[in-house]
Amino acid sequence: VQLQASGGGLVQAGGSLRLSCAASGRTFSDLVMGWFRQAPGKERDFVATISWSGGSTAYADSVKGRFTISRDNAKNTVYLQMNSLKPEDTAVYYCAAALIVGSRWYKPPINEYDYWGQGTQVTVSS
């Protein structure tokens, strides 16, 4: 599975960005998708995840109410709409895919993600 993230950039506090992640190499609807971020000198942190069909989502508390994860299985793409951005949202954002078999969705821990994109930089100025 190859993941290509895009959409990062420089934005002022309070602004919005939409990240995209295009997947190839496997049936997209087989994959649980997630977004993570890593700020300089910090660990990679969970941001959001979405189930195979898009019917279930989960968010980090720090982004809840501001970020929205969605997916378009026809386009093999997952999105992260980021609104009301804050300087503390500055990080490299990574999309990831987990090949989880089963009918009951759960929020996968980071070590269950099998594939990672290259990351896209998001910088929020104050």
Side-chain angles (χ1 to χ4, degrees), residues 51-124:
S51 63
W52 306 274
S53 65
S56 297
T57 57
Y59 297 90
D61 288 343
S62 59
V63 307
K64 207 171 289 184
R66 300 187 297 123
F67 290 10
T68 303
I69 188 171
S70 62
R71 67 190 294 162
D72 186 337
N73 286 352
K75 295 184 178 179
N76 295 346
T77 302
V78 62
Y79 305 96
L80 186 69
Q81 178 66 44
M82 305 186 294
N83 299 330
S84 303
L85 282 160
K86 304 175 182 180
E88 51 264 43
D89 294 319
T90 295
V92 177
Y93 282 70
Y94 297 90
C95 64
L99 186 60
I100 297 173
V101 177
S103 59
R104 191 173 182 86
W105 180 77
Y106 60 94
K107 177 189 145 184
I110 189 170
N111 64 335
E112 289 192 16
Y113 283 87
D114 303 289
Y115 307 100
W116 292 84
Q118 84 289 2
T120 184
Q121 176 71 47
V122 171
T123 303
V124 184

